[in-house]
Amino acid sequence: MDFHPTEEQAAAAGLAARIFADLATHERLAAAGTGSDAELWKALTTAGLTAAVEEVGLLGLVLLLEEQGRTTAQVPYAATCAYGILPVAAHGSPEQRARLLPALGTGEAVATGAFPARGRITASSDGRLTGTAPAVPWLRDATHVLVPDADQALWLVRTGAPGVETAPVETTAPWSAGRLTLTGAEGERIGSTSASAYEDTLAAARTAFAGLQAGVCAGSLARAVEHTSTREQFGRPLSTNQGVMLRAADAYMDTEAIRVTAYEAAWRIDQGLPAREHALTAAWWASEAGKRVVHAGQHLHGGMGADLDHPVHRHFLWGRQLDAYLGCGSELLAELGASIASTAEGEHA
């Protein structure tokens, strides 16, 4: 395994860090409320950071999403890349790639996904979709939704098409989420008739959102370190208190575990190696450890951490939302255990 970024990946991550630091400020985020920042989204797409995902791969995307997570920047970047650019590039036909990827790269089109499949949406023989996805992230910004049906076939649906209804839904984090209702809506098939496209997309999305969580946790921890290093109690910084140091150290180890498991899963996917269990492991760490880190970040701020307007509270909201979105630790662990058991049975058969 080689987690060292390529020159292109490092350059893209550095550019993303500068754009997010300049535009995803606390003041701008507070002004955005529950909506997305259109100016920031335009800056990212104009800089080519959305289209670049085709070149830098999933590991590069994880690095980019870490930078978004550090600032909790409110743009549909993770969703557009994980549910638009990557699956279309990997499983779309030549015509679909030529038609869809340029629009997704420039930000003219915004994608999201009704993932994971819960069997709520069915497809007729002529590709008409019916069903409901109760909470789809960044749906209010999306022009396209990647929808898995009950058989795990992938369909791309335009949000403005007949038979497609969206309604705002407020989630823990301000992700411009919505409820998707399909009534005989026309879908465009992505990928073959097998479930491989769904499995590939789900693994990549889990890995991408784990990378986003690594950044959220790193940002929360950085704020906690700054606060405890400058805030004094009894004439000395809070950071010199042993309990504070141990809590911060545990949060740091959890953050690094999220990061390295996301890197491993992304590297394996980029190399074309089996990675389903690795993606589940990254998602489990992001879910289970992520909520520990954002709780620690808030607690280490003391009374200030209880202020809903404090920047660290946004990291707390994002960390808890990612925990829920990834499936919560116990659900992911059960799926991981079943996958490992199935693999072991197959080897001994």
Side-chain angles (χ1 to χ4, degrees), residues 101-121:
L101 289 177
L104 290 166
T106 61
E108 178 186 351
V110 175
T112 188
F115 274 67
R118 302 290 188 187
R120 297 189 179 102
I121 296 174

Side-chain angles (χ1 to χ4, degrees), residues 24-116:
T25 62
H26 174 58
E27 293 74 21
R28 288 178 61 88
L29 289 168
T34 61
S36 295
D37 188 329
E39 183 180 347
L40 174 55
W41 180 238
K42 183 178 180 180
L44 288 171
T45 55
T46 301
L49 289 176
T50 308
V53 173
E54 288 185 74
E55 303 298 327
V56 300
L58 184 55
L59 181 55
L61 176 59
V62 167
L63 295 172
L64 291 164
L65 290 176
E66 277 192 78
E67 300 304 332
Q68 180 185 3
R70 290 179 199 275
T71 58
T72 61
Q74 288 177 207
V75 285
Y77 190 50
T80 291
C81 295
Y83 298 127
I85 291 177
L86 290 181
V88 170
H91 300 287
S93 67
E95 186 277 330
Q96 288 173 327
R97 291 195 294 271
R99 171 168 48 87
L100 295 169
L101 289 177
L104 290 166
T106 61
E108 178 186 351
V110 175
T112 188
F115 274 67

Side-chain angles (χ1 to χ4, degrees), residues 20 73 76 82 84 87 94 109 112 139 175 198 216-217 267 270 278 280 333:
F20 285 128
T112 188
L139 179 63
W175 284 4
Y198 169 80
V216 169
C217 291
W267 179 84
D270 284 343
H278 300 80
L280 275 166
L333 195 60

